[in-house]
Amino acid sequence: MNWFSAITVFLTAFLAVFWEAAFNGIRHWIGAQIDLLPAIMVYVALSGSIGMMATFAVLGGLWFDSLSANPLGVTVLPLFFIGLAIYINRDLILRDQTFAQFVLGLAASSLAPVMTLLFLLTTGHEPLFGWGTIWQLIVMTLGGAIATPIFFEFFNFVNRVLGPRTYSETSFRPDREIRRGR
Amino acid sequence: MLKRSHYIALGLVMLLTLTIMNLPSRTKARVKQGIASLFAPPFGLTRSARETASKAGDYVLPRSELIKQNEALRVENEHLKLQLQEAEKTDKENAQLHKLLGLQQRTQLKLRLANVVLREPANWWRTIKIDLGTRDGLSNNLPVLTIDGYLAGRIASVSLTSSQVVLLGDPNCKVHARVEETGDTGVVGASGPLDSEFVEMNYLSKTATLKPGQNIKTSGDGGIFPRDIPIGKIVDTHSVEYGLATVARVKLGANLNALEQVWVRFK
């Protein structure tokens, strides 16, 4: 991943966190807000380096917690663990397949809130928790799963249109040219 | 298999997270506010976009409609002026009677209007952010009311320009309340994750005579919320703890999903 892609990813994550706090249409409609950070983490873990993945988990988590009543830092570890699990197995994943992206988004978006809730409960906090949480988890899981292929398409499109073009070498080599003499 | 670089990244992230989570609460709050201030530019952009859209709507309104509205407002203004004059007279009379009877003067309500700028992104808390902060005189635990005067919550944390309000129904917003008709007291606590319209009033006496429709107001005990701020109405009740206590389900007067502006009430 080049610097341009990295900036695009971080900017998108920043705006995603802002969108989650500023626009509540989905929450009014179906009773839960969708978390987009796990979906972006899937892309970062499959396309970036381990350093970038760790930086994304830290920045994304801190941005999210700063606008939330979450204790600062509680979202960082779930994001990082999800990213690490995907990063370790990324050679085995067909990252260009939409179905694979959907399944990874499904898994990441379901595990991230569950892990965050577990962290909150084990650190003595009292989040809103009940039967309604199951519905919220379903909404977050499905929303994140649908968002993941969309993010892949978006980042690939941005890279294709605005990113530096890859230089394609031809098979012609001047040192192998046969010069015909008279 | 984990490689050395993976272990290093894991160690660094865990160390950083544990350090942040174990910072002194004041430092942690400052760091949190500092990071949250990064979102000021997109927020400002959204607000100005909304204002522009609203102004554009005003330009589209026909002149005849504006004249009609202006006339209606002028009539309303005259009525309100008369009412104000009457109220001022009554107020003076009231103050004189208080003086004669030696009663303590009731302090005037001090309210400040605030705009709701952000809502909680996580589904397991119920908070909002408003655009008033310490520079506007706000401090922790001030009561927050809806435009209609119903209790919405309390200030949980304050920065220079904004504050976080923890709303009714959140586990961190418990209110000592009383039933207006019977005087029974209890604690309004958390609600379900999806029920933002209802909260539970716990610790009510088993002998309490509660009926649907009775009004719930703040009791004034507990040191945070002043007395007699309306909260909502009882919907139904049920016994808990083998009949030793009663829990009432209360429909909130405030529509917490549609808060655009709120009052902050100063003590």
Side-chain angles (χ1 to χ4, degrees), chain B residues 27 59 61 72 105 108 114 129 132 134 152 157 172 183 191 197 199 206-207 212 216 222 247 262 266:
Chain B
T27 317
Y59 284 123
L61 216 63
Q105 287 276 345
Q108 275 208 322
K129 264 208 162 80
L132 297 182
T134 46
S157 65
N172 295 316
S191 60
E197 285 179 35
V199 287
K206 66 173 180 180
T207 56
I216 304 295
V247 171
V262 289
F266 290 84

Side-chain angles (χ1 to χ4, degrees), chain B residues 72-91:
Chain B
L73 286 170
R74 203 185 310 233
V75 172
E76 196 185 339
N77 193 23
E78 291 303 322
H79 276 291
L80 288 172
K81 267 183 191 169
L82 279 173
Q83 276 182 6
L84 184 69
Q85 278 173 5
E86 288 300 314
E88 274 173 355
K89 271 185 206 166
T90 318
D91 209 30

Side-chain angles (χ1 to χ4, degrees), chain A residues 14-15 17-18 20-24 27-28 31-33 50 54 58 62-74 76-77 80-81 84 87-88 113 116-117 120 123 125-133 135-136 140, chain B residues 1-2 5-6 9-11 13-14 16-18 20-21 23 28 31-33 35-36 38-39 42-44 46 50 117-127 129 164 169-172 174 190-194 256-258:
Chain A
F14 182 80
L15 292 175
V17 172
F18 174 73
E20 285 170 37
F23 299 97
N24 272 254
R27 197 199 301 257
H28 291 325
Q33 180 64 289
I50 183 93
V58 171
L62 290 179
W63 286 337
F64 187 88
D65 292 339
S66 72
L67 294 185
S68 163
N70 279 342
L72 195 66
V74 83
V76 174
L77 284 179
F80 180 74
F81 287 143
L84 189 65
Y87 185 85
I88 292 165
T116 310
L117 275 171
L120 285 169
T123 49
H125 293 89
E126 271 184 79
L128 278 173
F129 195 67
W131 289 109
T133 310
W135 170 250
Q136 290 180 332
M140 290 172 89
Chain B
M1 275 295 287
L2 289 177
S5 59
H6 301 161
L10 181 66
V13 171
M14 287 204 61
L16 186 76
T17 311
L18 289 173
I20 291 170
M21 288 184 83
L23 283 172
K28 203 156 54 176
V31 174
K32 199 170 181 174
Q33 284 158 9
I35 299 169
L38 293 173
F39 289 90
F43 157 66
T46 315
R50 274 182 189 160
V117 291
L118 293 172
R119 282 164 205 279
E120 176 64 50
N123 289 310
W124 38 85
W125 306 114
R126 203 161 283 161
T127 66
K129 264 208 162 80
Q164 191 172 45
D170 187 282
N172 295 316
K174 293 194 169 83
S191 60
L194 297 176
L256 301 178
N257 286 329

